[in-house]
Each structure stands twice: as C-alpha cells, then as structure tokens.
C-alpha cells in the first residue's frame, strides 16, 4: 500500500528524494532539452568488485527517462524500458545520465537515453512512458 500522497509523491524516492536517508539523492537538471543526472557510484553499489551493479544502471535510466517526460509538464508511468550495457560503470568515476523524448503519440512518450563515463558510453536505454494523472490513484492527505 502506498505511504505517500499526491502532494509528496517523491518524498521518499530512492533515486531522487533529497531526504531518503539511504537514497541516491540524484537531482535532475535540464540541459539542452534533455533530462540530466550525475552520479559517482560507490562501493555500496557494486556487483562485481569495482563495478556498479547493472540494476543501478537500469534504475538510473528509468529515473532520467521519467524526467525527460516530466519536462513536458505531465506525470507518467513506465510501460516498458530496456538497457543495453556497452561498457562497465566503474566505482568512483563520475557518470552522466541523460534522456530525451524522441516521439510523443497522444499520451505515449517514447524516450531514449544513455549513461556516459566521459566520452565512453556505458549504457544506452529506450523506454515507453504513459501520461497519467497521479492524483487519480494516489491518496490525498488527511486534513
């Protein structure tokens, strides 16, 4: 059961909330029409020693692709996402995740993105997001 309201829907988001005590605290900053996030993976994020677990890559891509749609001023949910892992994400290296909408078809948003380590592409991703009025199914705050 959801423990958040329409007013504070991201208050405890593991990826983007600044107040989640164990979260990543990533911040979206629009850059040249793209959603943009930066992260330096740490040892708590490893799969193989010294490398960020691929699940974190997919999670970060889902988040930055969501924010690409958010740039249109709408809420959305993920219908489909996929990642291609091109190179390892090295712990301690600054990674840049960016995403952009490639097509909008009514309430469907087709999004692409990538994670880079400098000039090296670490992950490419594609996603399908659907515009959704979150207040229709999130509980409202008690007054």
């Amino acid at each position: 059961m959801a423990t958040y309201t329409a007013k504070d829907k991201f208050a405890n988001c593991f990826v983007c909330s600044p107040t989640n005590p164990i979260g990543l605290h990533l911040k979206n900053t629009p850059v040249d029409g793209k959603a943009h996030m930066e992260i330096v993976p740490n040892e708590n994020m490893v799969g193989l020693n010294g490398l960020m677990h691929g699940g974190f890559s997919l999670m970060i891509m889902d988040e930055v692709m969501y924010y690409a749609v958010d740039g249109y001023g709408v809420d959305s949910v993920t219908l489909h996402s996929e990642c291609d892992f091109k190179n390892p994400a090295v712990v301690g290296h600054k990674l840049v995740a960016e995403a952009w909408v490639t097509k909008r078809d009514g309430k469907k948003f087709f999004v692409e993105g990538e994670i880079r380590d400098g000039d090296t592409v670490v992950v490419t991703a594609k996603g399908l997001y659907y515009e959704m009025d979150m207040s229709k199914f999130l509980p409202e705050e008690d007054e």
Side-chain angles (χ1 to χ4, degrees):
M1 178 173 191
T3 59
Y4 48 79
T5 67
K7 182 178 178 185
D8 66 355
K9 64 185 174 184
F10 298 128
N12 204 38
C13 176
F14 179 76
V15 180
C16 71
S17 170
T19 57
N20 182 322
I22 63 168
L24 299 178
H25 306 171
L26 300 188
K27 182 179 179 187
N28 175 59
T29 306
V31 174
D32 297 328
K34 299 176 182 177
H36 176 101
M37 295 180 161
E38 297 180 3
I39 185 169
V40 177
N42 63 50
E43 288 295 329
N44 294 321
M45 302 169 70
V46 300
L48 294 172
N49 286 342
L51 303 178
M52 183 171 74
H53 189 285
F56 278 100
S57 295
L58 181 56
M59 180 175 56
I60 291 165
M61 288 312 307
D62 181 57
E63 190 80 1
V64 75
M65 289 192 293
Y66 166 86
Y67 275 103
V69 175
D70 185 66
Y72 283 73
V74 299
D75 279 329
S76 66
V77 293
T78 309
L79 295 181
H80 176 82
S81 65
E82 60 185 65
C83 281
D84 290 319
F85 299 91
K86 305 292 188 179
N87 288 289
V90 179
V91 168
H93 286 211
K94 178 177 140 183
L95 304 177
V96 174
E98 290 188 320
W100 52 93
V101 173
T102 58
K103 178 182 173 185
R104 181 178 185 177
D105 182 9
K107 292 187 174 197
K108 292 180 183 176
F109 288 81
F110 298 84
V111 186
E112 294 183 15
E114 63 185 15
I115 296 176
R116 299 181 76 80
D117 180 346
D119 292 332
T120 302
V121 175
V122 175
V123 169
T124 59
K126 291 182 179 183
L128 174 59
Y129 293 75
Y130 189 78
E131 181 180 340
M132 172 94 42
D133 180 356
M134 301 294 224
S135 67
K136 297 292 184 196
F137 66 91
L138 297 178
E140 293 300 324
E141 287 188 281
D142 295 331
E143 295 189 6

